[in-house]
Amino acid sequence: MTLDPVHIGTGGYRLGRVDNTIVREPGTNLPKIPGTSLMGAARSYSAMYYGKPEAAGQHKKLKKDQKINCPIIYTFGTATETGGGQAGKISIGDAQILLFPVHSMAGPVWVSTIEMLKYAGFKPNKQDVDDETAITSLSWEKEVINLGWLMLKVDKGLIVDAPTEIKGKKEWISITDRIILVSQKLFSHIVNNNLEVRTSVAINPETGTAEDKALFTYEALPRATFLWCDIIEDDYLNKFPITDKQYKDNKENEGNPLEKPWKCPLDVVQTGFKLAEYLGIGGMSTRGFGRIKSIGDWEEINES
């Protein structure tokens, strides 16, 4: 769940309503958080927490035995110009929007589709919705409801059964009676017309005033957007250096105790995600953007 607006830029500009756009899925035009962004943040923050920031990317400076015994490098892998790289044991998919917050006459609601919920492991009791209807779990007496600028007919009685990993979490409980499902055709329009758009201006460091012709706008996923992604551990070597203390004075496992012992690569990734709750991901972090929170218990599935 996003705790702040999140801006993962495309690295360029375009002519139109917004100068700095965010990354989108080509087929649906829906914003997403790329797995590469999540992977980079998880590696950087877990290395920071471990007290070995060079393992986040400057591992060429480390000795061979330091690489072998490092849980960060074992988890995320290495790549060198001369070969001898090491494959990582974790793969992180793109984070896709699951529930998107939108304002309405009934207050804030979270919009999704039947297909998205089912694909992510949720079980809605409704199985079909047309392009003119909003299926809702709201206690709403009126026959229509607006989602931003869009007015739709109301179909009541929605119940969504969540996976056990988040069913008892306060973040999920707080929105269960404020969910609205729309058709896939409408969902992309609703999301893209209700993104957060901000305007900023570059400041001249000498005068302390706005730079001439330096006004720009940028998009962001709004606060309280729910996303989901797959994080897969494939530790084919089964040689993870089990760690219960943080790195100190160039010696492994001789520091302060870890909050939770690292027994597998997934533990390392979880630590990185926990720090993203405070340090954030993506751009515009100095403007208060980027914090995300993992709200569910991580499901462990062992498959051969």
Side-chain angles (χ1 to χ4, degrees):
M1 184 183 74
T2 59
L3 300 180
D4 296 320
V6 174
H7 174 88
I8 308 293
T10 58
Y13 295 83
R14 73 173 186 184
L15 295 175
R17 185 172 71 104
V18 176
D19 298 313
N20 294 0
T21 56
I22 55 178
V23 176
R24 285 174 165 78
E25 192 72 40
T28 62
N29 201 39
L30 287 170
K32 65 179 180 179
I33 299 179
T36 51
S37 298
L38 296 171
M39 178 76 82
R43 179 170 190 153
S44 178
Y45 295 155
S46 59
M48 182 189 302
Y49 184 83
Y50 189 53
K52 197 174 183 181
E54 60 270 26
Q58 300 297 321
H59 45 265
K60 294 180 182 178
K61 300 178 182 178
L62 301 177
K63 297 179 181 179
K64 184 176 181 181
D65 61 332
Q66 290 178 313
K67 293 181 181 180
I68 294 174
N69 296 320
C70 176
I72 309 296
I73 292 177
Y74 184 90
T75 298
F76 297 101
T78 64
T80 63
E81 296 176 357
T82 58
Q86 176 180 321
K89 312 305 183 295
I90 289 289
S91 64
I92 301 180
D94 294 344
Q96 305 171 51
I97 294 176
L98 180 65
L99 292 153
F100 187 81
V102 179
H103 70 90
S104 74
M105 295 182 291
V109 294
W110 278 259
V111 182
S112 186
T113 70
I114 294 171
E115 293 79 10
M116 284 181 174
L117 288 178
K118 292 172 69 174
Y119 192 59
F122 292 74
K123 297 178 181 178
N125 64 335
K126 304 281 187 174
Q127 302 301 317
D128 187 43
V129 58
D130 61 45
D131 295 337
E132 299 178 354
T133 304
I135 303 175
T136 179
S137 60
L138 279 167
S139 298
W140 184 244
E141 297 179 357
K142 298 182 180 180
E143 296 182 355
V144 295
I145 191 169
N146 72 306
L147 301 176
W149 57 268
L150 184 65
M151 191 74 72
L152 297 173
K153 295 184 297 184
V154 170
D155 181 1
K156 303 175 186 177
L158 174 66
I159 299 174
V160 179
D161 185 24
T164 56
E165 290 76 28
I166 74 163
K167 184 175 291 187
K169 302 300 180 179
K170 61 181 182 181
E171 293 85 357
W172 167 252
I173 294 173
S174 66
I175 70 166
T176 52
D177 60 350
R178 306 198 67 83
I179 297 174
I180 288 181
L181 302 186
V182 298
S183 68
Q184 294 189 79
K185 177 181 177 180
L186 290 181
F187 185 70
S188 178
H189 293 289
I190 292 171
V191 169
N192 284 296
N193 281 280
N194 289 278
L195 293 172
E196 184 159 348
V197 178
R198 293 196 186 183
T199 301
S200 291
V201 64
I203 301 298
N204 187 313
E206 296 181 358
T207 65
T209 59
E211 286 274 15
D212 185 36
K213 299 180 181 180
L215 192 72
F216 63 97
T217 56
Y218 48 95
E219 293 178 319
L221 284 170
R223 183 179 287 108
T225 301
F226 285 73
L227 305 103
W228 76 280
C229 70
D230 286 322
I231 301 177
I232 300 172
E233 175 187 295
D234 184 14
D235 188 5
Y236 48 88
L237 291 179
N238 198 27
K239 294 181 180 180
F240 181 80
I242 296 177
T243 306
D244 59 5
K245 292 184 178 181
Q246 292 170 263
Y247 185 85
K248 183 180 179 182
D249 299 330
N250 296 320
K251 295 180 181 180
E252 302 288 349
N253 300 337
E254 292 190 9
N256 299 320
L258 294 170
E259 183 181 59
K260 171 186 174 182
W262 289 351
K263 298 180 180 179
C264 65
L266 198 60
D267 291 336
V268 181
V269 178
Q270 283 184 275
T271 298
F273 269 63
K274 185 167 185 178
L275 286 188
E277 183 178 342
Y278 305 96
L279 302 176
I281 63 171
M284 309 295 179
S285 58
T286 57
R287 293 176 169 87
F289 279 32
R291 292 185 304 147
I292 62 173
K293 180 180 181 180
S294 177
I295 66 170
D297 298 323
W298 290 42
E299 179 184 10
E300 295 186 9
I301 302 175
N302 297 317
E303 295 183 354
S304 58

